[in-house]
Amino acid sequence: MLVAAAACPCPPLLVPGIAAGAAPELAAARDACADALGVLAASRPDLLVVVGPAEDGGHGTYPEGTPGSFHGFGVDLGVRLGRGGTAPAPSQRALPPSLAVAAWLLERTDWSDAPVAGLAVAETFTAERCRSAGAEAAGQAARVALLVMGDASACRTLKAPGYLDERAAGFDAEVARALGTADVAALRTLDAGLARELKASGRAPWQVLAGAAEDAELGGALLYEDAPYGVGYLVAAWS
């Protein structure tokens, strides 16, 4: 059963070594993520499931101990998902960037409160498939917490990765409202086509959260909302 959840953005720029001189600009986002993880720890879960967008062909599960790195972003920094697990096999898939950022956040906050499992979901997942994945995740232990990684639109300004789209601000505002109020129905009915056009990587992970939380009756709080670099970053906590 889902007992708590946190929603965090997943840009590698959250890692100060990658952001370099721009690191102070995301300090408030990092602090909000730490606060959201504190809510997860306070729920005393038996299992933490980390959910994030997959890269092409990388959807699926990632066991505790799976390695990841930020070498592709020019930083010699490795991470592991959680503290447990066995030594990775040479053929083991590395964490996708979204789960690597989650692993970094967990290391930064010294997470040791429960075992950790990873789930990467593809952009092509339908709302129903996400709902099923969320229900399955919530049923893995008596007390499950979710750390849900994903960005809102990438079209908030002219210099944004997806250029300016006038629909982006409204889309982000609705997602912020839904995450801040734990509105499961609103997350479940997010428009996948619009999310894709706005390059909102969080749509599928948020719908996994909606599937996990259907009968949980959790309340929500929005801890951070901003759009640096023209990309919507949101942090929320449910308990």
Side-chain angles (χ1 to χ4, degrees):
M1 177 180 178
L2 187 71
V3 295
C8 294
C10 60
L13 283 173
L14 278 180
V15 180
I18 297 175
E25 297 179 31
L26 291 179
R30 286 190 290 271
D31 290 344
C33 290
D35 291 341
L37 288 176
V39 172
L40 299 186
S43 73
R44 302 178 65 183
D46 300 318
L47 175 67
L48 173 66
V49 179
V50 181
V51 184
E55 293 189 306
D56 292 343
H59 67 267
T61 59
Y62 292 80
E64 186 163 34
T66 301
S69 80
F70 298 102
H71 296 164
F73 300 94
V75 176
D76 186 16
L77 175 64
V79 292
R80 285 184 57 180
L81 186 63
R83 293 188 169 185
T86 58
S91 60
Q92 185 173 9
R93 293 183 303 168
L95 296 171
S98 64
L99 298 190
V101 172
W104 180 83
L105 288 173
L106 291 170
E107 289 182 2
R108 180 175 183 261
T109 53
D110 200 28
W111 178 270
S112 59
D113 298 270
V116 183
L119 173 64
V121 291
E123 181 188 49
T124 55
F125 278 22
T126 64
E128 187 56 39
R129 187 169 181 183
C130 291
R131 180 182 185 181
S132 176
E136 182 178 347
Q140 291 185 42
R143 298 180 63 83
V144 173
L146 255 60
L147 172 54
V148 181
M149 309 297 293
D151 300 338
S153 74
C155 302
R156 292 283 292 274
T157 66
L158 292 173
K159 294 184 178 180
Y163 196 67
L164 176 65
D165 190 312
E166 299 294 345
R167 302 170 296 174
F171 177 88
D172 289 358
E174 173 57 15
V175 173
R177 186 203 65 77
L179 290 175
T181 58
D183 189 337
V184 171
L187 293 178
R188 191 168 57 235
T189 56
L190 287 174
D191 187 327
L194 177 59
R196 186 178 306 109
E197 292 174 13
L198 297 178
K199 302 185 184 301
S201 68
R203 190 276 306 174
W206 296 328
Q207 291 190 320
V208 171
L209 169 60
E214 279 193 348
D215 300 315
E217 298 184 354
L218 302 180
L222 188 66
L223 306 183
Y224 178 87
E225 178 184 7
D226 202 358
Y229 321 116
V231 182
Y233 296 152
L234 304 168
V235 180
W238 294 15
S239 62

